[in-house]
Amino acid sequence: MDEWKPNPAVKPHKKRSWYLAWKYKLMNQRALRKLCQTGAVLFLLVTVIVNIKLILDTRRAAYEEEEESAQDYDDEMLNVEVPRHPVSNKKVLDVEVYSSRSKVYVAVDGTTVLEDEAREQGRGIHVIVLNQATGHVMAKRVFDTYSPHEDEAMVLFLNMVARGRILIFTIKDEGSFHLKDTAKNVLKSLGSQVAPFLSWRDMWTFVGKKGGEVYGEKHAKSPALSTWGDPVLLKTEVHLTSVEDAECHWPDTELNRRRKRFCSKVEGYGSVCSCKDPTPIEFNPDPLKDNKVFDVPVAVIAGNRPNYLYRMLRSLLSAQGVNPQMITVFIDGYYEEPMDVVELFGLSGIQHTPISIKNARVSQHYKASLTATFNLFPDAKFAVVLEEDLDISVDFFSFLSQSIHLLEEDESLYCISAWNDQGYEHTAEDPSLLYRVETMPGLGWVLQKTLYKDELEPKWPTPEKLWDWDMWMRMPEQRKGRECIIPDISRSYHFGIVGLNMNGYFHEAYFKKHKFNTVPNVQLKNVESLRKDAYETEIHRLLGEAEVLDHSKNPCEDSFVPDTEGKVYVMFIRMEQEADFTTWTQLAKCLHIWDLDVRGNHKGLWRLFRKKNHFLVVGVPASPYSSKKPSSVTPIYMEPPAKEEGAVAVPAVAAAEQT
Amino acid sequence: MQKINKNVVLALLSLTSLVFLLFQLYYYKFYLSQKNGAVFSKVRGSQSGQDSTRWHVVRKFLGLISSHNIPVYLIDPLILGLVDKDIEQIRTSPDAPSPECKYFCAPRDFTTFALLDKTWKHEVGLFRTAEKMGFQWLKIINKDPRLDGMDDLSGIEIPLHYIFKLASHAIHLVVFYERSGNYLWHGPLRLKHHMDRKFVPFRKLHFGRYPGAYEKPELLLVSIDDLKVQIPKNPSSFLEEMSYSRFLECRYREARAFFQLYPDDASLDAVEFRKKAKSLLHLAALTLNNLGVKFWLSSGTCLGWYRQCNIIPHSKDVDLGVFIRDYKADIIPAFQKAGLSLKHKFGKVEDSLELSFQGEDDVKLDIFFFYEEDDHIWNGGTQAKSGKKFKYFFPKFTLCWTEFVELKVHVPCETLQYVEANYGPDWKVPVKTWDWKSSPSNVQYNGVWPVNEWDDVIQIY
């Protein structure tokens, strides 16, 4: 027994002494018992060893398994997780607001959220909306209240902001000249003491909660008309509320989850974020019977005008026969807010890194969007192209569904557009009437894949060419004598007043009075007569039927067209060759229709309505329809005003409106 | 003293042993749940409980997706293999009740289904229902390859794979996307860093190691093991297709870098040539596919794909490769029928065969036939006026699918070696003057055709 060591880590050389002991014990009286004991010890030892081994084995197996599965299926790119901004538990925000003649800035907790010291811009009242629970910037606006009507826009905006949001105001340069009492009262109701007395070139900062406390206000009076008030810097603290308090309690549905995400991030979209009665974000318009464009992808070309995009998508999703799954919004730049709008409506959005500048940037964005559209929908033969500043008519898809087959079957066509350049309130009448025109209007149009893939895409203007894509598409090299189909009454409405080639004046003059169809389910007439040859027959029939107007009268006068309804009239103007639009341009000017370049013509013929009569204008002798002119009639010639000769270049620039 | 010692030791040993045993049990259990029984299922595979689990999981899954109106179809190679054996019977009596669970109970870790992306709307509701039914699910998303080729577009990431796990069985749902070139594509399965690597034994998945390209399948609704499920109409051809479905994406990023170095030729001539070459390639692909002749992009066309994801505008022809074992005598008449006249024919089926067809307006279609040896592959060239033969050597390669000018075509999977063999290490630099007899780095003089054979091996039209 002496040699038996109670050591589990038995060394091999002990084996022999064990054996001796065993032999000895076998002879002993208690041999059997000892045997059992030793047996048990051995057994236990073996169990322990086997167990250890098994554990090690399974461990290794598991490890290998993991290794194996990892090696093939790891993302080759090291995906560095972007650290999420830690939800700060801080309950207080430090806010700094600066107002001066040439510079404004707002800093929240040391982060500058607004800084504007650019010359000649950013004049007026800057407004920033913060989320009262997170402190995130939800909206940033500037209202140039030095100019008229901007204060109305500000009131509208402030009314849309939800109660409880934190509002920050600061004036740059001048903000009081056209700040009317209504606006001043709104500011007063927000808690501002100074607002009612704001005057010429005062500096002013204000931080307050909508419908709640005031966190601070500073004001510096302008001492004299010619000077500005001293710069003011307001430093204050804002107490954050809990997230629950900052949110509405809508029923928990898929839609409301999207709404919640949207409303906690941005402000200024009105009733979509209303707690009590939020406006729907799903529209479910009636489906179209026999919808030929249900599977046609829709590309919405957008920039950073999220409010426009919001309005546009609402009208698009309300149009009958819309298929949201086919809609892709292409955003030029990494802007968050347009993407938020896209997600609010549950659509898919794609962002595009801006390439080049100005018109070329737009043009590159168009190219990328069109290519992507046909890549994403490889089955599609067409794509509908829309822009973010268009309202879409309720029968937009119905209009396309009835006409799209022409694009495929008639090789002399290269687009269908929802927009009639000459379709103003006073010149468009018949929602069921279509035309063929030589100029591509854009603004809601259908593009054929073969045209894009075989002709346009390979030749598309490169980024260094500062061309407008639409002007380029209208060039004879691209158009190749083909035409577009357009409706008499447009199926889109261009509401954008800020844009690359757009301003308020321009919009008022050329777009505001555009006619827009609001009648659902319009049955188009004579779609088949839009085909190349049939259309000529139709025109000849029309001209044959048309009454020749009195060419001795002034065509600009209202009395030029008799006070009838539903008749067809024709007039002849002088047009020496195909590109001679001298008289037409003057006529267009006095008729208050599009005159910046030539639009809506078909072989020297224009079709519009005057006083509810169909009104045809034929250019003689360039137009093949000149033969219809009675020999007694002398074509009207209108001379351009002499002083405008120098301004010939203007139309070319301004005509690039469609952005 | 000794006695006590001994007892203590015995007790200690038993205790350790017991602890180990318990630990082992616990570990085993833990391991089971982690690995989904993968390691041990082989042992227990024959047990009926396990078998019916699989069937139940599949049934639950089919219930889940049909309640959301999502059309999936079965692409599990194991089950389709079994189904294929009885396909006649299954086709003829689609509603016959099955006496035993023959297919869905077969031992395996996964059941694989396919889903066409455009047939569902990505509703989140599906996953909520799945969770209620007890499924754990995993979604694998990645970049959208359809936008990959485009400058600076960043779309939302798209779902490529879903895995639904219930008990010890998992459903692998592969999302297929339609792409330009009229084919279906599924993405690779790559785990991001935060993902659970042990969710299922990913290595055993049948789909996802590589991206794959497939034809649009015709589907058949069948009832197998009392479950109604859609399967490819012809399971055996689907399985065949699956075995060589690997897809290579064009190297768009490198192509962009290339164009930064060597701006693309945007002249009208280049545009016109590309258009013609593209339509010639489409026509050639259609003709060869109709004949069932496997082909791949070779020489300049392959270089164009690999280097710039486009047709090289200054190349004057379209080059295709075909293995000589796939040669068919119908090739020439088929092309002639398609409107391409034979321009020349060099070599013979046994040696250095090369066909050249005239496309419209000067664009030529060259078909080189490749001969496989033990350690290399070669094709031949012939100089018409001298009867000289040339041999071009390539390392062995296999074929992969890719997309090129809106066409699903083959390229050598080992493209770099292939291109390097042909164009040397400087293949990245565009060369406008190219002599097929001396420029390639893999060319070797191969003697002269015997003069008496010239009429046969040098045919010029």
Side-chain angles (χ1 to χ4, degrees):
Chain A
M1 283 307 286
D2 285 331
E3 64 282 340
W4 195 83
K5 288 257 168 91
N7 185 358
V10 191
K11 303 235 161 54
H13 71 267
K14 293 283 174 195
K15 268 191 178 162
R16 208 173 146 261
S17 27
W18 271 27
Y19 174 72
L20 285 175
W22 174 72
K23 215 174 159 188
Y24 165 76
K25 256 146 225 161
L26 203 67
M27 288 176 242
N28 204 306
Q29 287 259 313
R30 296 183 292 187
L32 204 66
R33 210 176 112 203
K34 295 284 170 189
L35 178 75
C36 287
Q37 277 179 359
T38 325
V41 168
L42 270 172
F43 175 75
L44 287 176
L45 268 170
V46 167
T47 318
V48 167
I49 290 164
V50 165
N51 269 328
I52 291 176
K53 193 173 170 338
L54 238 166
I55 287 172
L56 287 177
D57 276 358
T58 38
R59 221 197 206 145
R60 203 178 53 221
Y63 183 69
E64 272 169 8
E65 186 88 8
E66 190 182 333
E67 281 282 280
E68 279 180 299
S69 54
Q71 61 186 217
D72 276 327
Y73 292 96
D74 267 348
D75 206 337
E76 65 273 12
M77 301 230 293
L78 258 180
N79 259 300
V80 184
E81 277 285 285
V82 183
R84 287 175 174 262
H85 286 291
V87 181
S88 80
N89 291 320
K90 236 183 106 186
K91 292 278 178 247
V92 178
L93 284 181
D94 295 316
V95 179
E96 253 180 67
V97 196
Y98 184 78
S99 163
S100 73
R101 177 195 170 184
S102 56
K103 176 181 180 176
V104 285
Y105 77 80
V106 174
V108 177
D109 263 353
T111 312
T112 307
V113 296
L114 165 77
E115 186 162 26
D116 184 351
E117 46 186 334
R119 286 164 156 269
E120 314 284 328
Q121 54 175 323
R123 176 182 58 200
I125 303 180
H126 290 250
V127 187
I128 285 182
V129 184
L130 300 184
N131 185 302
Q132 68 271 41
T134 60
H136 287 154
V137 177
M138 301 182 75
K140 251 197 252 189
R141 299 282 191 281
V142 53
F143 300 98
D144 180 12
T145 43
Y146 170 82
S147 310
H149 305 304
E150 285 278 305
D151 61 333
E152 293 160 22
M154 185 175 77
V155 169
L156 209 68
F157 174 74
L158 291 176
N159 285 338
M160 276 199 287
V161 172
R163 272 177 72 89
R165 300 283 185 235
I166 293 150
L167 290 164
I168 302 174
F169 296 84
T170 177
I171 286 182
K172 184 179 177 190
D173 192 358
E174 213 301 307
S176 73
F177 191 53
H178 272 103
L179 190 67
K180 301 274 163 47
D181 284 346
T182 328
K184 285 181 176 172
N185 285 334
V186 169
L187 293 177
K188 190 180 165 196
S189 73
L190 291 170
S192 167
Q193 313 234 318
V194 178
F197 315 106
L198 264 184
S199 60
W200 176 249
R201 289 183 175 172
D202 285 358
M203 294 299 131
W204 172 63
T205 57
F206 173 72
V207 181
K209 180 178 250 179
K210 185 164 177 187
E213 58 209 294
V214 173
Y215 298 108
E217 182 166 28
K218 266 194 178 173
H219 175 233
K221 201 139 187 62
S222 156
L225 268 186
S226 59
T227 55
W228 284 261
D230 291 331
V232 293
L233 175 62
L234 170 68
K235 287 190 181 180
T236 181
E237 283 184 345
V238 170
H239 293 268
L240 294 177
T241 58
S242 70
V243 175
E244 289 75 43
D245 292 346
E247 281 179 348
C248 298
H249 302 283
W250 296 302
D252 185 33
T253 64
E254 179 100 32
L255 286 182
N256 279 339
R257 231 168 275 150
R258 290 201 319 240
R259 189 194 297 276
K260 204 170 219 167
R261 214 175 307 135
F262 181 77
C263 293
S264 67
K265 283 179 83 177
V266 293
E267 261 292 354
Y269 291 84
S271 53
V272 75
C273 294
S274 151
C275 282
K276 271 190 202 146
D277 184 22
T279 184
I281 53 173
E282 199 176 54
F283 307 93
N284 300 315
D286 295 339
L288 272 186
K289 252 183 257 161
D290 192 20
N291 188 350
K292 300 232 168 50
V293 290
F294 191 74
D295 287 331
V296 174
V298 177
V300 179
I301 315 286
N304 189 18
R305 295 181 289 179
N307 289 77
Y308 282 10
L309 186 61
Y310 174 79
R311 171 171 167 182
M312 189 273 162
L313 292 178
R314 282 192 79 91
S315 77
L316 176 62
L317 292 171
S318 308
Q320 290 181 357
V322 68
N323 179 359
Q325 269 195 281
M326 301 302 284
I327 300 174
T328 315
V329 181
F330 293 92
I331 299 163
D332 191 14
Y334 290 90
Y335 304 113
E336 261 182 62
E337 204 170 321
M339 205 61 180
D340 294 336
V341 172
V342 171
E343 279 165 12
L344 170 72
F345 291 113
L347 300 174
S348 61
I350 289 174
Q351 292 174 315
H352 178 218
T353 312
I355 305 168
S356 193
I357 48 158
K358 288 187 183 164
N359 300 346
R361 170 172 171 179
V362 174
S363 154
Q364 291 310 306
H365 182 49
Y366 255 89
K367 183 187 179 187
S369 308
L370 296 177
T371 304
T373 302
F374 288 120
N375 279 355
L376 289 173
F377 302 96
D379 275 354
K381 286 190 212 155
F382 309 98
V384 174
V385 186
L386 300 172
E387 288 158 46
E388 67 182 341
D389 51 4
L390 296 178
D391 280 330
I392 299 305
S393 161
V394 65
D395 79 328
F396 179 78
F397 291 105
S398 151
F399 156 70
L400 294 181
S401 174
Q402 292 175 65
S403 56
I404 199 156
H405 64 283
L406 292 175
L407 201 51
E408 211 173 350
E409 293 160 12
D410 186 346
E411 289 192 344
S412 65
L413 290 174
Y414 89 139
C415 89
I416 296 176
S417 174
W419 180 259
N420 176 7
D421 284 301
Q422 311 295 19
Y424 291 84
E425 291 285 356
H426 59 289
T427 57
E429 209 53 55
D430 186 351
S432 65
L433 182 64
L434 304 180
Y435 302 131
R436 282 176 78 107
V437 296
E438 291 169 14
T439 51
M440 194 206 74
L443 297 178
W445 56 290
V446 181
L447 169 69
Q448 211 176 344
K449 181 178 184 175
T450 49
L451 171 70
Y452 181 69
K453 281 283 167 191
D454 297 343
E455 301 182 34
L456 303 179
E457 190 188 32
K459 291 195 286 184
W460 199 273
T462 44
E464 69 277 3
K465 294 196 177 105
L466 301 182
W467 289 352
D468 281 301
W469 69 272
D470 52 339
M471 301 300 273
W472 175 77
M473 262 194 79
R474 288 183 193 118
M475 280 157 50
E477 295 87 337
Q478 277 63 252
R479 190 169 77 83
K480 293 183 179 159
R482 290 170 292 192
E483 296 186 296
C484 288
I485 287 187
I486 59 162
D488 179 54
I489 299 182
S490 300
R491 261 50 175 196
S492 60
Y493 178 76
H494 186 259
F495 61 77
I497 55 168
V498 286
L500 184 56
N501 302 311
M502 183 60 67
N503 57 53
Y505 165 75
F506 194 69
H507 187 264
E508 187 108 8
Y510 289 104
F511 291 99
K512 205 166 179 190
K513 297 271 170 61
H514 232 98
K515 200 153 184 170
F516 176 60
N517 180 53
T518 51
V519 184
N521 288 319
V522 176
Q523 188 65 42
L524 304 178
K525 66 183 178 201
N526 291 339
V527 175
E528 293 313 306
S529 72
L530 269 299
R531 288 174 199 272
K532 192 174 187 222
D533 298 333
Y535 194 68
E536 294 314 310
T537 318
E538 171 74 10
I539 296 291
H540 279 99
R541 187 191 62 76
L542 260 181
L543 286 167
E545 172 190 320
E547 201 173 299
V548 179
L549 288 163
D550 183 354
H551 282 57
S552 62
K553 287 185 179 169
N554 180 354
C556 294
E557 299 284 324
D558 225 24
S559 59
F560 185 69
V561 178
D563 293 322
T564 54
E565 261 186 43
K567 297 199 109 193
V568 184
Y569 295 111
V570 60
M571 76 173 282
F572 298 91
I573 60 169
R574 200 198 285 179
M575 184 171 162
E576 295 299 343
Q577 2 81 28
E578 230 178 287
D580 171 22
F581 298 116
T582 324
T583 306
W584 166 255
T585 306
Q586 294 316 308
L587 183 66
K589 214 164 250 164
C590 74
L591 292 180
H592 300 291
I593 56 177
W594 185 267
D595 60 0
L596 296 179
D597 60 358
V598 180
R599 299 285 177 94
N601 51 317
H602 167 81
K603 297 186 176 178
L605 166 83
W606 288 265
R607 296 176 66 180
L608 34 125
F609 280 86
R610 277 183 88 174
K611 294 188 187 168
K612 305 203 172 178
N613 300 297
H614 203 22
F615 177 68
L616 311 176
V617 181
V618 177
V620 178
S623 169
Y625 309 122
S626 304
S627 57
K628 294 277 173 178
K629 182 183 78 67
S631 50
S632 57
V633 169
T634 316
I636 290 178
Y637 174 67
M638 294 166 81
E639 210 165 335
K643 59 181 177 196
E644 287 204 17
E645 284 294 341
V648 173
V650 172
V653 178
E657 96 299 344
Q658 287 156 356
T659 312
Chain B
M1 211 44 207
Q2 270 184 5
K3 222 172 204 172
I4 299 167
N5 254 347
K6 228 161 42 182
N7 284 342
V8 167
V9 167
L10 267 175
L12 256 170
L13 270 171
S14 346
L15 198 74
T16 350
S17 163
L18 250 169
V19 165
F20 268 116
L21 209 78
L22 280 174
F23 182 69
Q24 172 81 53
L25 265 173
Y26 168 77
Y27 194 83
Y28 174 73
K29 201 180 145 207
F30 174 74
Y31 188 76
L32 247 186
S33 70
Q34 273 288 316
K35 281 286 139 183
N36 213 1
V39 169
F40 297 96
S41 61
K42 280 171 214 120
V43 192
R44 316 197 322 165
S46 56
Q47 287 175 19
S48 62
Q50 195 68 3
D51 289 352
S52 64
T53 306
R54 291 183 202 110
W55 183 83
H56 276 290
V57 172
V58 171
R59 191 183 57 108
K60 268 196 150 177
F61 175 75
L62 289 173
L64 168 72
I65 54 120
S66 72
S67 72
H68 282 77
N69 272 325
I70 300 169
V72 299
Y73 57 96
L74 186 74
I75 51 168
D76 195 279
L78 223 140
I79 301 175
L80 284 184
L82 295 172
V83 164
D84 191 47
K85 286 180 196 151
D86 310 329
I87 187 70
E88 283 315 315
Q89 191 197 336
I90 291 169
R91 263 192 208 140
T92 46
S93 53
D95 288 319
S98 65
E100 43 165 352
C101 179
K102 209 170 155 188
Y103 310 102
F104 285 119
C105 294
R108 67 194 186 279
D109 298 309
F110 298 96
T111 309
T112 319
F113 285 93
L115 165 64
L116 260 183
D117 166 69
K118 68 167 186 183
T119 54
W120 79 303
K121 294 178 182 172
H122 300 262
E123 289 125 341
V124 194
L126 172 73
F127 302 104
R128 231 167 282 146
T129 321
E131 277 163 18
K132 271 183 213 145
M133 291 171 84
F135 280 104
Q136 284 176 281
W137 58 275
L138 182 77
K139 170 165 133 178
I140 282 120
I141 56 170
N142 218 323
K143 275 190 304 192
D144 190 337
R146 296 168 300 179
L147 300 177
D148 226 22
M150 309 209 35
D151 291 343
D152 315 302
L153 275 195
S154 66
I156 32 176
E157 296 200 313
I158 52 171
L160 300 179
H161 298 264
Y162 291 100
I163 293 168
F164 295 84
K165 187 168 81 173
L166 185 69
S168 60
H169 196 64
I171 305 286
H172 179 197
L173 185 58
V174 184
V175 189
F176 281 81
Y177 289 84
E178 260 178 53
R179 294 189 49 177
S180 309
N182 201 26
Y183 67 101
L184 298 181
W185 173 91
H186 75 76
L189 193 152
R190 297 290 176 267
L191 299 174
K192 304 231 160 139
H193 272 250
H194 57 87
M195 282 179 176
D196 179 7
R197 294 187 142 48
K198 292 184 190 153
F199 188 73
V200 287
F202 288 102
R203 222 180 134 72
K204 295 190 176 162
L205 292 175
H206 297 290
F207 289 81
R209 175 166 300 227
Y210 302 114
Y214 291 81
E215 294 298 309
K216 292 179 190 167
E218 270 186 87
L219 298 178
L220 184 70
L221 183 68
V222 295
S223 169
I224 44 179
D225 294 342
D226 297 327
L227 294 177
K228 279 212 175 290
V229 62
Q230 297 221 79
I231 60 166
K233 203 167 185 179
N234 190 343
S236 63
S237 68
F238 178 84
L239 293 172
E240 164 81 3
E241 192 181 7
M242 185 183 158
S243 61
Y244 57 87
S245 65
R246 186 178 165 193
F247 182 87
L248 290 183
E249 204 65 66
C250 200
R251 309 175 332 136
Y252 296 110
R253 210 182 313 162
E254 287 83 354
R256 271 201 287 281
F258 173 82
F259 281 126
Q260 298 218 310
L261 232 64
Y262 309 100
D264 199 13
D265 183 356
S267 67
L268 219 59
D269 284 351
V271 169
E272 275 304 299
F273 173 76
R274 278 190 171 143
K275 195 175 153 188
K276 283 179 207 154
K278 177 180 166 185
S279 72
L280 180 61
L281 188 57
H282 275 249
L283 185 64
L286 185 72
T287 312
L288 289 172
N289 288 340
N290 282 343
L291 288 174
V293 174
K294 210 194 285 181
F295 69 95
W296 65 91
L297 304 182
S298 190
S299 310
T301 312
C302 184
L303 178 66
W305 171 77
Y306 191 67
R307 187 171 68 186
Q308 51 208 71
C309 298
N310 206 338
I311 292 162
I312 301 176
H314 56 259
S315 63
K316 287 286 163 260
D317 44 21
V318 172
D319 304 312
L320 301 180
V322 173
F323 283 122
I324 195 68
R325 61 176 141 87
D326 294 328
Y327 173 79
K328 283 186 183 163
D330 309 347
I331 290 178
I332 298 173
F335 272 105
Q336 283 165 336
K337 216 171 155 190
L340 302 179
S341 56
L342 185 64
K343 200 175 173 209
H344 58 238
K345 178 185 174 196
F346 293 142
K348 48 190 180 179
V349 177
E350 301 77 42
D351 185 9
S352 304
L353 184 63
E354 177 191 342
L355 298 176
S356 206
F357 295 92
Q358 187 63 56
E360 54 162 342
D361 322 287
D362 293 346
V363 188
K364 194 162 60 104
L365 172 71
D366 289 329
I367 302 180
F368 303 105
F369 290 86
F370 283 68
Y371 298 80
E372 286 172 278
E373 306 292 341
D374 286 343
D375 59 345
H376 70 278
I377 296 175
W378 63 275
N379 74 310
T382 301
Q383 188 178 30
K385 62 172 194 265
S386 65
K388 278 184 192 159
K389 286 164 74 185
F390 299 92
K391 210 169 179 179
Y392 303 87
F393 290 93
F394 294 92
K396 284 233 164 194
F397 57 84
T398 50
L399 292 180
C400 279
W401 290 113
T402 193
E403 183 183 313
F404 186 60
V405 293
E406 289 164 72
L407 205 59
K408 176 189 151 210
V409 284
H410 277 125
V411 286
C413 300
E414 299 78 10
T415 329
L416 179 63
Q417 285 95 302
Y418 188 84
V419 167
E420 272 190 342
N422 214 174
Y423 294 95
D426 292 331
W427 55 271
K428 279 187 185 171
V429 184
V431 179
K432 294 220 172 174
T433 50
W434 185 258
D435 181 7
W436 58 272
K437 300 178 294 299
S438 57
S439 303
S441 53
N442 59 338
V443 69
Q444 208 178 72
Y445 181 64
N446 190 23
V448 183
W449 288 105
V451 180
N452 59 353
E453 280 188 42
W454 279 29
D455 282 349
D456 187 34
V457 300
I458 305 175
Q459 297 180 26
I460 299 174
Y461 300 91

